């Protein structure tokens, strides 16, 4: 659903994908936020991306700390997952 590049301070970067289970947990633990609101990227806040990346990182065992520790010690980039254009560029 959402793929993030997680870059820990002084550690090796890794990629994590937030699945439907992660989004469900995010909805249940984040007051007033819904999956429907995620379709409008203008309404998404950086804290939403961090929380989703944290939930997914914990699920796969790449992070064992708290969300505040995650926010203080890693950078998170949303990876664009658009399909490449199958048409060939003009010469």
């Amino acid at each position: 659903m959402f793929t993030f590049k997680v870059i820990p301070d002084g550690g090796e970067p890794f990629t994590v994908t937030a699945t439907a289970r992660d989004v469900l947990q995010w909805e249940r633990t984040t007051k007033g936020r819904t999956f429907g609101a995620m379709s409008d990227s203008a309404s998404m806040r950086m804290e939403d991306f961090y929380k989703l990346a944290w939930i997914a990182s914990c699920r796969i065992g790449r992070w064992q700390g708290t969300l505040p520790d995650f926010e203080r010690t890693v950078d998170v980039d949303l990876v664009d997952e658009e399909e490449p254009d199958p048409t060939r560029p003009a010469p």
Side-chain angles (χ1 to χ4, degrees):
M1 296 191 103
F2 297 94
T3 300
F4 301 97
K5 182 175 182 182
V6 178
I7 309 151
D9 291 346
E12 286 295 316
F14 61 93
T15 301
V16 63
T17 299
T19 65
R21 289 180 287 171
D22 303 316
V23 173
L24 177 63
Q25 184 176 347
W26 170 79
E27 278 187 332
R28 288 183 172 165
T29 61
T30 309
K31 186 175 182 172
R33 306 303 282 171
T34 64
F35 179 72
M38 295 175 114
S39 62
D40 176 19
S41 60
S43 71
M44 288 294 289
R45 301 179 301 209
M46 186 57 77
E47 69 181 320
D48 296 322
F49 292 130
Y50 263 84
K51 190 166 185 180
L52 276 170
W54 172 71
I55 291 167
S57 296
C58 290
R59 178 180 50 79
I60 66 168
R62 293 299 306 255
W63 187 264
Q64 288 78 37
T66 66
L67 176 58
D69 287 343
F70 187 82
E71 293 171 340
R72 278 191 299 274
T73 62
V74 305
D75 285 311
V76 172
D77 291 326
L78 184 63
V79 176
D80 185 9
E81 295 185 322
E82 286 188 25
E83 293 292 322
D85 185 353
T87 59
R88 301 176 102 198

